[in-house]
C-alpha cells in the first residue's frame, strides 16, 4: 500500500512536469523532511504520503499552498494520535501547539536552501484557511462534509467530530436525568454485601480498598459515572463490584 502512495501519484494527478520540475523537486524535499520527523511523534513515515494524497484532492493550489495543506493535515494527524479530537490552528491558542508540531516537521537539513520555519508555516496555514484555498479538503460548516473541518480556531477531522457529537447526544439524557438511581442506604448495604463475599483468585482474596468503595458508591448513585486511574489502581475490580451489586 505504501508504495502506491506519495509523490509519483500526486505529481501525475496534479499534472506537474515530472520529478525533475522545480515544484515536484521542492515537494519531494519537503515530504522527505516530514517523513524524517514523524517517528518522533510515534507515527509511521507513510503518514506524510497519505497527507500528500489527501492534499491532491485540490488540484489548483500553488506549491506553497499545497505544502501548507500537507503540513496542516499531518499536524492534525499528530494531534489525533496524541488523543486530541481538535487542534487549534489559528490565533493565540495555536501558537504553542503548532510550534511544537511544526518545529520538527520544518527542521532544516544542511543542504536545505529553501527551508521554511515553523512560524512561517503557521502563517501560511492561517492564510490558506482564511482564503479558503482548499475547498475539496477543508469544510467550514459541519453540514459541508469534507475530510477536515475548520471551525475557528480549531481544526477537526470531520468523522471524529461527528462521532463526538453523536456520543454527546447519547450522554446528554443521562446527564440531565433527575433523581438518584438508588438510595444511599441501599447502596451502602449492597457494598457491604459485596465486601462480605470477596472474590478469590486461587488462594488470593480480592477486597475493595477505601478508594474503590468510594468509587463504587459514587458510581451507583448516578446514571453516568467515569471511573479512571492508571494500571493496577483497581478499576476493573471496582466495576466488577458495581455490576455485582445490581445484577
Amino acid at each position: 500500500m505504501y508504495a502506491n502512495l506519495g509523490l509519483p501519484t500526486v505529481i501525475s494527478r496534479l499534472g506537474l512536469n515530472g520529478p525533475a520540475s522545480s515544484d515536484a523537486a521542492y515537494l519531494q524535499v519537503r515530504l522527505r523532511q516530514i517523513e524524517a520527523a514523524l517517528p518522533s511523534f510515534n507515527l509511521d513515515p507513510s503518514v506524510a504520503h497519505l497527507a500528500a494524497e489527501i492534499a491532491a484532492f485540490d488540484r489548483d493550489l500553488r506549491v506553497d499552498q499545497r505544502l501548507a495543506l500537507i503540513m496542516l493535515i499531518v499536524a492534525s494527524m499528530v494531534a489525533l494520535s496524541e488523543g486530541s479530537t481538535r487542534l487549534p490552528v489559528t490565533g493565540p491558542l495555536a501558537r504553542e501547539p503548532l510550534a511544537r508540531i511544526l518545529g520538527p516537521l520544518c527542521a532544516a537539513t544542511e543542504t536545505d536552501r529553501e527551508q521554511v520555519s515553523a512560524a512561517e508555516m503557521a502563517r501560511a496555514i492561517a492564510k490558506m484557511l482564511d482564503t479558503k484555498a482548499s475547498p475539496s479538503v477543508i469544510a467550514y460548516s459541519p453540514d459541508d462534509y469534507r475530510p477536515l473541518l475548520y471551525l475557528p480556531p480549531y481544526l477537526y477531522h470531520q468523522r471524529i467530530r461527528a462521532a463526538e457529537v453523536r456520543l454527546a447526544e447519547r450522554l446528554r439524557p443521562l446527564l440531565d436525568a433527575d433523581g438518584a438511581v438508588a438510595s444511599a442506604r441501599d447502596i451502602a448495604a449492597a457494598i457491604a454485601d459485596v465486601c462480605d463475599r470477596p472474590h478469590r483468585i486461587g488462594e488470593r482474596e480480592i477486597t475493595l480498598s477505601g478508594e474503590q468503595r468510594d468509587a463504587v458508591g459514587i458510581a451507583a448513585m448516578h446514571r453516568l459515572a467515569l471511573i479512571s486511574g492508571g494500571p493496577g489502581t483497581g478499576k476493573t475490580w471496582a466495576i466488577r463490584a458495581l455490576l455485582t451489586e445490581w445484577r
Side-chain angles (χ1 to χ4, degrees):
M1 181 67 178
Y2 177 67
N4 296 326
L5 297 174
L7 269 175
T9 308
V10 172
I11 288 168
S12 174
R13 188 180 304 162
L14 298 177
L16 299 178
N17 297 322
S21 75
S22 59
D23 283 355
Y26 178 74
L27 282 175
Q28 184 167 356
V29 170
R30 300 279 77 82
L31 280 176
R32 297 294 175 257
Q33 188 178 30
I34 296 170
E35 275 185 324
L38 283 170
S40 67
F41 296 108
N42 295 314
L43 287 174
D44 190 90
S46 62
V47 167
H49 293 256
L50 176 60
E53 288 287 325
I54 295 172
F57 292 165
D58 276 306
R59 295 177 56 88
D60 300 324
L61 294 176
R62 301 189 310 270
V63 67
D64 60 315
Q65 293 174 318
R66 186 165 307 283
L67 178 60
L69 179 57
I70 291 171
M71 287 283 191
L72 179 63
I73 295 168
V74 171
S76 74
M77 292 179 177
V78 169
L80 194 61
S81 74
E82 294 176 342
S84 297
T85 58
R86 64 182 187 179
L87 175 68
V89 291
T90 54
L93 288 176
R95 290 191 189 116
E96 189 281 328
L98 272 190
R100 180 181 63 82
I101 296 173
L102 293 178
L105 299 179
C106 296
T109 63
E110 293 182 1
T111 59
D112 190 359
R113 298 182 179 180
E114 300 180 84
Q115 187 258 346
V116 179
S117 70
E120 291 172 324
M121 184 54 62
R123 288 193 291 271
I125 288 172
K127 183 176 181 180
M128 183 194 62
L129 291 169
D130 184 57
T131 57
K132 299 184 179 181
S134 180
S136 297
V137 175
I138 302 173
Y140 290 78
S141 166
D143 297 328
D144 186 13
Y145 194 80
R146 297 290 185 274
L148 301 178
L149 172 64
Y150 176 55
L151 300 176
Y154 296 103
L155 185 79
Y156 300 81
H157 282 228
Q158 182 77 271
R159 65 182 181 86
I160 298 298
R161 185 180 183 278
E164 199 171 44
V165 169
R166 287 197 300 271
L167 177 61
E169 290 172 347
R170 292 185 179 185
L171 292 180
R172 188 173 294 112
L174 298 176
L175 293 171
D176 293 341
D178 295 328
V181 177
S183 69
R185 177 181 297 179
D186 290 341
I187 291 171
I191 293 175
D193 180 61
V194 169
C195 292
D196 287 341
R197 296 180 291 106
H199 186 77
R200 291 180 179 274
I201 299 180
E203 297 300 319
R204 182 186 172 198
E205 190 175 90
I206 304 298
T207 59
L208 294 178
S209 68
E211 287 185 343
Q212 286 174 307
R213 291 189 186 200
D214 291 342
V216 171
I218 293 171
M221 292 183 68
H222 298 85
R223 298 182 185 279
L224 178 66
L226 176 65
I227 296 177
S228 65
T233 55
K235 300 183 298 297
T236 300
W237 290 108
I239 293 171
R240 182 188 178 94
L242 185 64
L243 294 175
T244 301
E245 287 181 41
W246 308 114
R247 67 184 175 184

